[in-house]
PDB file of all heavy atoms in Angstrom:
ATOM      1  N   THR A   1       0.047   7.071   0.011  1.00  0.00           N
ATOM      2  CA  THR A   1       1.238   7.482   0.807  1.00  0.00           C
ATOM      3  C   THR A   1       1.367   8.975   0.774  1.00  0.00           C
ATOM      4  O   THR A   1       2.204   9.401  -0.075  1.00  0.00           O
ATOM      5  CB  THR A   1       2.540   6.696   0.390  1.00  0.00           C
ATOM      6  OG1 THR A   1       2.692   7.007  -1.081  1.00  0.00           O
ATOM      7  CG2 THR A   1       2.450   5.236   0.604  1.00  0.00           C
ATOM      8  N   PRO A   2       0.531   9.745   1.550  1.00  0.00           N
ATOM      9  CA  PRO A   2       0.674  11.209   1.471  1.00  0.00           C
ATOM     10  C   PRO A   2       2.086  11.696   1.644  1.00  0.00           C
ATOM     11  O   PRO A   2       2.782  11.330   2.546  1.00  0.00           O
ATOM     12  CB  PRO A   2      -0.185  11.623   2.513  1.00  0.00           C
ATOM     13  CG  PRO A   2      -1.155  10.477   2.791  1.00  0.00           C
ATOM     14  CD  PRO A   2      -0.308   9.253   2.487  1.00  0.00           C
ATOM     15  N   LYS A   3       2.481  12.566   0.697  1.00  0.00           N
ATOM     16  CA  LYS A   3       3.850  13.080   0.659  1.00  0.00           C
ATOM     17  C   LYS A   3       4.922  12.036   0.602  1.00  0.00           C
ATOM     18  O   LYS A   3       6.035  12.266   1.080  1.00  0.00           O
ATOM     19  CB  LYS A   3       4.120  14.103   1.880  1.00  0.00           C
ATOM     20  CG  LYS A   3       3.148  15.252   1.776  1.00  0.00           C
ATOM     21  CD  LYS A   3       3.394  16.230   3.026  1.00  0.00           C
ATOM     22  CE  LYS A   3       2.424  17.436   2.873  1.00  0.00           C
ATOM     23  NZ  LYS A   3       2.646  18.340   4.064  1.00  0.00           N
ATOM     24  N   GLY A   4       4.531  10.903   0.077  1.00  0.00           N
ATOM     25  CA  GLY A   4       5.544   9.838   0.013  1.00  0.00           C
ATOM     26  C   GLY A   4       5.796   9.030   1.250  1.00  0.00           C
ATOM     27  O   GLY A   4       6.644   8.213   1.291  1.00  0.00           O
ATOM     28  N   GLU A   5       5.092   9.372   2.289  1.00  0.00           N
ATOM     29  CA  GLU A   5       5.338   8.699   3.588  1.00  0.00           C
ATOM     30  C   GLU A   5       4.696   7.303   3.658  1.00  0.00           C
ATOM     31  O   GLU A   5       3.408   7.192   3.556  1.00  0.00           O
ATOM     32  CB  GLU A   5       4.824   9.567   4.777  1.00  0.00           C
ATOM     33  CG  GLU A   5       5.160   9.050   6.126  1.00  0.00           C
ATOM     34  CD  GLU A   5       4.744   9.946   7.251  1.00  0.00           C
ATOM     35  OE1 GLU A   5       4.545  11.170   7.002  1.00  0.00           O
ATOM     36  OE2 GLU A   5       4.689   9.461   8.347  1.00  0.00           O
ATOM     37  N   ARG A   6       5.488   6.265   3.846  1.00  0.00           N
ATOM     38  CA  ARG A   6       4.994   4.982   3.932  1.00  0.00           C
ATOM     39  C   ARG A   6       4.979   4.534   5.400  1.00  0.00           C
ATOM     40  O   ARG A   6       5.805   4.766   6.178  1.00  0.00           O
ATOM     41  CB  ARG A   6       5.894   4.019   3.137  1.00  0.00           C
ATOM     42  CG  ARG A   6       5.932   4.333   1.646  1.00  0.00           C
ATOM     43  CD  ARG A   6       7.014   3.466   0.946  1.00  0.00           C
ATOM     44  NE  ARG A   6       7.050   3.767  -0.455  1.00  0.00           N
ATOM     45  CZ  ARG A   6       7.967   3.287  -1.333  1.00  0.00           C
ATOM     46  NH1 ARG A   6       8.835   2.327  -0.866  1.00  0.00           N
ATOM     47  NH2 ARG A   6       7.984   3.571  -2.552  1.00  0.00           N
ATOM     48  N   ASN A   7       3.840   3.843   5.754  1.00  0.00           N
ATOM     49  CA  ASN A   7       3.689   3.343   7.068  1.00  0.00           C
ATOM     50  C   ASN A   7       4.244   1.851   7.159  1.00  0.00           C
ATOM     51  O   ASN A   7       3.687   0.945   6.584  1.00  0.00           O
ATOM     52  CB  ASN A   7       2.219   3.346   7.433  1.00  0.00           C
ATOM     53  CG  ASN A   7       1.940   2.985   8.848  1.00  0.00           C
ATOM     54  OD1 ASN A   7       2.231   1.859   9.359  1.00  0.00           O
ATOM     55  ND2 ASN A   7       1.442   3.964   9.651  1.00  0.00           N
ATOM     56  N   ASP A   8       5.310   1.738   7.870  1.00  0.00           N
ATOM     57  CA  ASP A   8       5.964   0.420   7.962  1.00  0.00           C
ATOM     58  C   ASP A   8       5.115  -0.641   8.568  1.00  0.00           C
ATOM     59  O   ASP A   8       5.104  -1.754   8.174  1.00  0.00           O
ATOM     60  CB  ASP A   8       7.274   0.462   8.773  1.00  0.00           C
ATOM     61  CG  ASP A   8       8.466   0.956   7.867  1.00  0.00           C
ATOM     62  OD1 ASP A   8       8.263   0.946   6.669  1.00  0.00           O
ATOM     63  OD2 ASP A   8       9.523   1.218   8.511  1.00  0.00           O
ATOM     64  N   ILE A   9       4.186  -0.288   9.494  1.00  0.00           N
ATOM     65  CA  ILE A   9       3.365  -1.352  10.179  1.00  0.00           C
ATOM     66  C   ILE A   9       2.348  -1.842   9.110  1.00  0.00           C
ATOM     67  O   ILE A   9       2.012  -3.074   9.107  1.00  0.00           O
ATOM     68  CB  ILE A   9       2.715  -0.799  11.493  1.00  0.00           C
ATOM     69  CG1 ILE A   9       3.791  -0.304  12.408  1.00  0.00           C
ATOM     70  CG2 ILE A   9       1.932  -1.885  12.093  1.00  0.00           C
ATOM     71  CD1 ILE A   9       3.309   0.259  13.673  1.00  0.00           C
ATOM     72  N   VAL A  10       1.791  -0.895   8.321  1.00  0.00           N
ATOM     73  CA  VAL A  10       0.770  -1.339   7.282  1.00  0.00           C
ATOM     74  C   VAL A  10       1.434  -2.281   6.342  1.00  0.00           C
ATOM     75  O   VAL A  10       0.864  -3.323   5.932  1.00  0.00           O
ATOM     76  CB  VAL A  10       0.252  -0.077   6.579  1.00  0.00           C
ATOM     77  CG1 VAL A  10      -0.552  -0.487   5.348  1.00  0.00           C
ATOM     78  CG2 VAL A  10      -0.741   0.664   7.544  1.00  0.00           C
ATOM     79  N   LEU A  11       2.672  -1.919   5.859  1.00  0.00           N
ATOM     80  CA  LEU A  11       3.341  -2.782   4.919  1.00  0.00           C
ATOM     81  C   LEU A  11       3.759  -4.086   5.488  1.00  0.00           C
ATOM     82  O   LEU A  11       3.714  -5.149   4.932  1.00  0.00           O
ATOM     83  CB  LEU A  11       4.611  -2.058   4.351  1.00  0.00           C
ATOM     84  CG  LEU A  11       4.306  -0.701   3.663  1.00  0.00           C
ATOM     85  CD1 LEU A  11       5.576  -0.150   3.087  1.00  0.00           C
ATOM     86  CD2 LEU A  11       3.258  -0.867   2.574  1.00  0.00           C
ATOM     87  N   ALA A  12       4.182  -4.072   6.826  1.00  0.00           N
ATOM     88  CA  ALA A  12       4.487  -5.324   7.479  1.00  0.00           C
ATOM     89  C   ALA A  12       3.269  -6.181   7.642  1.00  0.00           C
ATOM     90  O   ALA A  12       3.384  -7.411   7.457  1.00  0.00           O
ATOM     91  CB  ALA A  12       4.970  -5.022   8.908  1.00  0.00           C
ATOM     92  N   ALA A  13       2.098  -5.593   7.892  1.00  0.00           N
ATOM     93  CA  ALA A  13       0.892  -6.384   7.914  1.00  0.00           C
ATOM     94  C   ALA A  13       0.556  -6.960   6.571  1.00  0.00           C
ATOM     95  O   ALA A  13       0.080  -8.205   6.532  1.00  0.00           O
ATOM     96  CB  ALA A  13      -0.323  -5.481   8.348  1.00  0.00           C
ATOM     97  N   ALA A  14       0.862  -6.352   5.478  1.00  0.00           N
ATOM     98  CA  ALA A  14       0.645  -6.919   4.198  1.00  0.00           C
ATOM     99  C   ALA A  14       1.595  -8.135   3.972  1.00  0.00           C
ATOM    100  O   ALA A  14       1.176  -9.174   3.321  1.00  0.00           O
ATOM    101  CB  ALA A  14       0.919  -5.882   3.128  1.00  0.00           C
ATOM    102  N   TYR A  15       2.784  -8.094   4.525  1.00  0.00           N
ATOM    103  CA  TYR A  15       3.697  -9.144   4.419  1.00  0.00           C
ATOM    104  C   TYR A  15       3.221 -10.410   5.264  1.00  0.00           C
ATOM    105  O   TYR A  15       3.209 -11.457   4.805  1.00  0.00           O
ATOM    106  CB  TYR A  15       5.086  -8.732   4.976  1.00  0.00           C
ATOM    107  CG  TYR A  15       6.152  -9.767   5.036  1.00  0.00           C
ATOM    108  CD1 TYR A  15       6.773 -10.259   3.838  1.00  0.00           C
ATOM    109  CD2 TYR A  15       6.506 -10.306   6.201  1.00  0.00           C
ATOM    110  CE1 TYR A  15       7.704 -11.225   3.875  1.00  0.00           C
ATOM    111  CE2 TYR A  15       7.503 -11.384   6.306  1.00  0.00           C
ATOM    112  CZ  TYR A  15       8.093 -11.779   5.049  1.00  0.00           C
ATOM    113  OH  TYR A  15       9.042 -12.763   5.141  1.00  0.00           O
ATOM    114  N   VAL A  16       2.765 -10.056   6.473  1.00  0.00           N
ATOM    115  CA  VAL A  16       2.203 -11.138   7.294  1.00  0.00           C
ATOM    116  C   VAL A  16       0.975 -11.752   6.713  1.00  0.00           C
ATOM    117  O   VAL A  16       0.752 -13.014   6.803  1.00  0.00           O
ATOM    118  CB  VAL A  16       1.941 -10.671   8.701  1.00  0.00           C
ATOM    119  CG1 VAL A  16       1.223 -11.603   9.545  1.00  0.00           C
ATOM    120  CG2 VAL A  16       3.251 -10.187   9.390  1.00  0.00           C
ATOM    121  N   ALA A  17       0.127 -10.970   6.063  1.00  0.00           N
ATOM    122  CA  ALA A  17      -1.137 -11.502   5.548  1.00  0.00           C
ATOM    123  C   ALA A  17      -1.070 -12.084   4.170  1.00  0.00           C
ATOM    124  O   ALA A  17      -2.099 -12.537   3.654  1.00  0.00           O
ATOM    125  CB  ALA A  17      -2.166 -10.344   5.607  1.00  0.00           C
ATOM    126  N   GLY A  18       0.101 -12.111   3.625  1.00  0.00           N
ATOM    127  CA  GLY A  18       0.270 -12.765   2.317  1.00  0.00           C
ATOM    128  C   GLY A  18      -0.289 -11.927   1.187  1.00  0.00           C
ATOM    129  O   GLY A  18      -0.705 -12.617   0.131  1.00  0.00           O
ATOM    130  N   VAL A  19      -0.192 -10.601   1.195  1.00  0.00           N
ATOM    131  CA  VAL A  19      -0.636  -9.858   0.013  1.00  0.00           C
ATOM    132  C   VAL A  19       0.398 -10.098  -1.063  1.00  0.00           C
ATOM    133  O   VAL A  19       1.602 -10.086  -0.882  1.00  0.00           O
ATOM    134  CB  VAL A  19      -0.635  -8.335   0.498  1.00  0.00           C
ATOM    135  CG1 VAL A  19      -0.866  -7.394  -0.731  1.00  0.00           C
ATOM    136  CG2 VAL A  19      -1.724  -8.159   1.511  1.00  0.00           C
ATOM    137  N   THR A  20      -0.112 -10.214  -2.288  1.00  0.00           N
ATOM    138  CA  THR A  20       0.647 -10.502  -3.491  1.00  0.00           C
ATOM    139  C   THR A  20       1.466  -9.265  -3.960  1.00  0.00           C
ATOM    140  O   THR A  20       2.624  -9.374  -4.237  1.00  0.00           O
ATOM    141  CB  THR A  20      -0.201 -11.082  -4.624  1.00  0.00           C
ATOM    142  OG1 THR A  20      -1.071 -12.080  -4.154  1.00  0.00           O
ATOM    143  CG2 THR A  20       0.653 -11.642  -5.699  1.00  0.00           C
ATOM    144  N   LYS A  21       0.682  -8.201  -4.253  1.00  0.00           N
ATOM    145  CA  LYS A  21       1.260  -6.941  -4.785  1.00  0.00           C
ATOM    146  C   LYS A  21       0.752  -5.741  -4.001  1.00  0.00           C
ATOM    147  O   LYS A  21      -0.421  -5.731  -3.643  1.00  0.00           O
ATOM    148  CB  LYS A  21       0.942  -6.862  -6.228  1.00  0.00           C
ATOM    149  CG  LYS A  21       1.535  -7.924  -7.170  1.00  0.00           C
ATOM    150  CD  LYS A  21       1.155  -7.753  -8.632  1.00  0.00           C
ATOM    151  CE  LYS A  21       1.615  -8.870  -9.515  1.00  0.00           C
ATOM    152  NZ  LYS A  21       1.119  -8.729 -10.833  1.00  0.00           N
ATOM    153  N   VAL A  22       1.575  -4.691  -3.949  1.00  0.00           N
ATOM    154  CA  VAL A  22       1.141  -3.493  -3.342  1.00  0.00           C
ATOM    155  C   VAL A  22       1.466  -2.287  -4.158  1.00  0.00           C
ATOM    156  O   VAL A  22       2.580  -2.200  -4.771  1.00  0.00           O
ATOM    157  CB  VAL A  22       1.838  -3.245  -1.947  1.00  0.00           C
ATOM    158  CG1 VAL A  22       1.449  -1.927  -1.298  1.00  0.00           C
ATOM    159  CG2 VAL A  22       1.457  -4.385  -0.990  1.00  0.00           C
ATOM    160  N   PHE A  23       0.456  -1.371  -4.385  1.00  0.00           N
ATOM    161  CA  PHE A  23       0.658  -0.206  -5.160  1.00  0.00           C
ATOM    162  C   PHE A  23       0.387   1.001  -4.314  1.00  0.00           C
ATOM    163  O   PHE A  23      -0.676   0.981  -3.528  1.00  0.00           O
ATOM    164  CB  PHE A  23      -0.287  -0.096  -6.393  1.00  0.00           C
ATOM    165  CG  PHE A  23       0.007  -1.263  -7.366  1.00  0.00           C
ATOM    166  CD1 PHE A  23      -0.679  -2.485  -7.278  1.00  0.00           C
ATOM    167  CD2 PHE A  23       0.922  -1.054  -8.371  1.00  0.00           C
ATOM    168  CE1 PHE A  23      -0.375  -3.511  -8.202  1.00  0.00           C
ATOM    169  CE2 PHE A  23       1.138  -2.087  -9.284  1.00  0.00           C
ATOM    170  CZ  PHE A  23       0.597  -3.271  -9.184  1.00  0.00           C
ATOM    171  N   THR A  24       1.232   2.000  -4.237  1.00  0.00           N
ATOM    172  CA  THR A  24       1.040   3.146  -3.306  1.00  0.00           C
ATOM    173  C   THR A  24       0.216   4.170  -3.985  1.00  0.00           C
ATOM    174  O   THR A  24       0.629   5.284  -4.327  1.00  0.00           O
ATOM    175  CB  THR A  24       2.471   3.704  -2.900  1.00  0.00           C
ATOM    176  OG1 THR A  24       3.200   4.116  -4.109  1.00  0.00           O
ATOM    177  CG2 THR A  24       3.248   2.734  -2.136  1.00  0.00           C
ATOM    178  N   VAL A  25      -1.122   3.826  -4.211  1.00  0.00           N
ATOM    179  CA  VAL A  25      -2.062   4.717  -4.749  1.00  0.00           C
ATOM    180  C   VAL A  25      -3.333   4.644  -3.880  1.00  0.00           C
ATOM    181  O   VAL A  25      -3.544   3.707  -3.195  1.00  0.00           O
ATOM    182  CB  VAL A  25      -2.414   4.450  -6.248  1.00  0.00           C
ATOM    183  CG1 VAL A  25      -1.267   4.653  -7.152  1.00  0.00           C
ATOM    184  CG2 VAL A  25      -2.959   3.018  -6.327  1.00  0.00           C
ATOM    185  N   GLY A  26      -3.995   5.790  -3.903  1.00  0.00           N
ATOM    186  CA  GLY A  26      -5.260   5.831  -3.047  1.00  0.00           C
ATOM    187  C   GLY A  26      -6.378   6.542  -3.776  1.00  0.00           C
ATOM    188  O   GLY A  26      -6.284   6.839  -4.942  1.00  0.00           O
ATOM    189  N   GLY A  27      -7.429   6.784  -2.950  1.00  0.00           N
ATOM    190  CA  GLY A  27      -8.555   7.562  -3.509  1.00  0.00           C
ATOM    191  C   GLY A  27      -9.337   6.896  -4.618  1.00  0.00           C
ATOM    192  O   GLY A  27      -9.171   5.610  -4.838  1.00  0.00           O
ATOM    193  N   ALA A  28     -10.163   7.622  -5.267  1.00  0.00           N
ATOM    194  CA  ALA A  28     -11.024   7.091  -6.308  1.00  0.00           C
ATOM    195  C   ALA A  28     -10.185   6.562  -7.423  1.00  0.00           C
ATOM    196  O   ALA A  28     -10.612   5.538  -8.100  1.00  0.00           O
ATOM    197  CB  ALA A  28     -11.924   8.178  -6.906  1.00  0.00           C
ATOM    198  N   GLN A  29      -8.959   7.062  -7.663  1.00  0.00           N
ATOM    199  CA  GLN A  29      -8.113   6.572  -8.684  1.00  0.00           C
ATOM    200  C   GLN A  29      -7.656   5.121  -8.511  1.00  0.00           C
ATOM    201  O   GLN A  29      -7.500   4.400  -9.431  1.00  0.00           O
ATOM    202  CB  GLN A  29      -6.938   7.511  -8.932  1.00  0.00           C
ATOM    203  CG  GLN A  29      -5.993   7.716  -7.797  1.00  0.00           C
ATOM    204  CD  GLN A  29      -6.404   8.848  -6.873  1.00  0.00           C
ATOM    205  OE1 GLN A  29      -7.576   9.192  -6.863  1.00  0.00           O
ATOM    206  NE2 GLN A  29      -5.404   9.393  -6.074  1.00  0.00           N
ATOM    207  N   ALA A  30      -7.447   4.747  -7.235  1.00  0.00           N
ATOM    208  CA  ALA A  30      -7.070   3.443  -6.884  1.00  0.00           C
ATOM    209  C   ALA A  30      -8.182   2.441  -7.143  1.00  0.00           C
ATOM    210  O   ALA A  30      -7.999   1.358  -7.626  1.00  0.00           O
ATOM    211  CB  ALA A  30      -6.553   3.283  -5.412  1.00  0.00           C
ATOM    212  N   VAL A  31      -9.337   2.831  -6.744  1.00  0.00           N
ATOM    213  CA  VAL A  31     -10.568   2.013  -6.951  1.00  0.00           C
ATOM    214  C   VAL A  31     -10.824   1.816  -8.410  1.00  0.00           C
ATOM    215  O   VAL A  31     -11.086   0.722  -8.897  1.00  0.00           O
ATOM    216  CB  VAL A  31     -11.788   2.663  -6.256  1.00  0.00           C
ATOM    217  CG1 VAL A  31     -13.069   1.855  -6.636  1.00  0.00           C
ATOM    218  CG2 VAL A  31     -11.655   2.722  -4.777  1.00  0.00           C
ATOM    219  N   ALA A  32     -10.667   2.881  -9.206  1.00  0.00           N
ATOM    220  CA  ALA A  32     -10.826   2.697 -10.642  1.00  0.00           C
ATOM    221  C   ALA A  32      -9.869   1.860 -11.319  1.00  0.00           C
ATOM    222  O   ALA A  32     -10.083   1.045 -12.225  1.00  0.00           O
ATOM    223  CB  ALA A  32     -10.749   4.106 -11.245  1.00  0.00           C
ATOM    224  N   ALA A  33      -8.612   2.036 -10.812  1.00  0.00           N
ATOM    225  CA  ALA A  33      -7.528   1.117 -11.403  1.00  0.00           C
ATOM    226  C   ALA A  33      -7.809  -0.321 -11.091  1.00  0.00           C
ATOM    227  O   ALA A  33      -7.605  -1.192 -11.991  1.00  0.00           O
ATOM    228  CB  ALA A  33      -6.218   1.547 -10.768  1.00  0.00           C
ATOM    229  N   LEU A  34      -8.267  -0.684  -9.865  1.00  0.00           N
ATOM    230  CA  LEU A  34      -8.517  -2.012  -9.487  1.00  0.00           C
ATOM    231  C   LEU A  34      -9.722  -2.552 -10.337  1.00  0.00           C
ATOM    232  O   LEU A  34      -9.777  -3.728 -10.748  1.00  0.00           O
ATOM    233  CB  LEU A  34      -8.785  -2.184  -8.010  1.00  0.00           C
ATOM    234  CG  LEU A  34      -7.675  -1.886  -7.133  1.00  0.00           C
ATOM    235  CD1 LEU A  34      -8.066  -1.812  -5.627  1.00  0.00           C
ATOM    236  CD2 LEU A  34      -6.650  -3.041  -7.227  1.00  0.00           C
TER     237      LEU A  34
END
């Protein structure tokens, strides 16, 4: 979420698709965390 900006349609898609948990991290650090 660059500069803290969240995309509502992306988050809504996660809701529709049954995603369990969401973390607002990206890049190599997100891949390493997973």
